[in-house]
Amino acid sequence: MREVLLAGNWKMNKTISESIELAACLKQSISGSSKVIIFPPFTALTSVYDVIKEGKIELGAQNMYFEEYGSFTGEVSPLLLADVGVRYVILGHSERRHIFGEDDILINKKVKAALKNDLRPILCVGETLVERQEGLTENVIERQLIGGLDSIMNAAALKVIVAYEPVWAIGTGINAKPEEANSVHKFIRNLLNKNYGGNLGEEVTILYGGSINSGNIEELGRMEEIDGGLVGGASLDCRSFIEIYKKLERAKSTVAWGE
Ligand code: PEP
C-alpha cells in the first residue's frame, strides 16, 4: 500500500548515547500523518527501540545477512533483528553494492529472507555517474529491480519499499532534479506493472534518496511518483530531519497522489 514515508539512514554514526538523544528529540517532534523510520547503527538498535517503542517512529536496520542463524561471524540475521524490535531493513544500498561488493543475487536472497521474517525491505536501486553518462540508467535500474525481486510473489512484492538512489547524488550535495527523479520512479512503476501484471507498480511505495535536505524536499515531495525520501547526512541532525519531515508533509498535502 502506497504511503508517505521518510526514512533516516544514520549509517556508521552515533554512539549509543548520541542515538538515544537523537531518537528522543525526533520522538518529541514527529506528530504528522506520514510514516517515519530511523535506521541507527546495530549497536544502538535496542537502546533506540526503548526510546521510540511507544511512539509513532518505527525502527529499521541498515543491512542483514540472509541466513537466520549459524556460523556467519560478524553477520546479523533477520531473526535477530526482529528480536530487538526492527521492522524494516535497507537492502542493496549503493555503499553495500560498491564498497562491499554485494550483487543482485545476494541482495535477492536478503530480500526474500527479510520478507520471510516479516521485515519490510527497502530495496535500493540506482545508477553511477558513469552509467548515467553512458545512458544506462534504465538498464541498471531494471537489472537491480528485477534481480532484487526475483521469484518474489505479488503479495510479498507489495511489502517491498523501493528507494531510487542515484549513486552520484548520495552524499554529494547534488540531488537529482525532481522531474528526472519522478520519471525514473515512473519507469520503476511501469517495470513493476510489466513484471507482475496488473497495477502493482501503482501500489508500491517508492522513495527518492540522494542529498535530500530541507531546501529541496518540498520540490521533490510535490512530484506525483515520489512517495517520500531516504535521507542520509541530513538525518543525523534532529532539527534538519524534522524540517524535512514537515516540508514533506506540506508538499504531500498539496498533491493528489496514489489515487
Ligand atoms: C543514503 O545514504 O541513502 C543517502 C541518501 O545519503 P545522503 O542523503 O547523505 O545523500
Side-chain angles (χ1 to χ4, degrees), residues 9 11 93 95 165 169-173 209-212 230-234:
N9 175 12
K11 307 195 187 189
H93 190 280
E95 286 150 18
E165 295 211 305
I170 296 180
T172 58
S211 295
I212 289 179
L230 175 51
V231 186

Side-chain angles (χ1 to χ4, degrees), residues 206-221:
I206 307 181
L207 310 178
Y208 166 78
S211 295
I212 289 179
N213 57 42
S214 56
N216 57 30
I217 186 64
E218 257 183 289
E219 219 189 326
L220 287 159

Side-chain angles (χ1 to χ4, degrees), residues 9 11 62-63 90-103 107 122-129 131 140 144 163-172 209-210 230:
N9 175 12
K11 307 195 187 189
Q62 299 173 21
N63 183 35
I90 297 173
L91 297 174
H93 190 280
S94 71
E95 286 150 18
R96 299 301 316 174
R97 293 179 189 268
H98 298 291
I99 302 174
F100 299 99
E102 294 195 5
D103 62 14
I107 293 162
I122 298 190
L123 173 62
C124 300
V125 297
E127 81 286 4
T128 63
L129 183 59
E131 289 163 342
V140 172
Q144 293 178 342
Y164 169 53
E165 295 211 305
V167 182
W168 49 269
I170 296 180
T172 58
L230 175 51

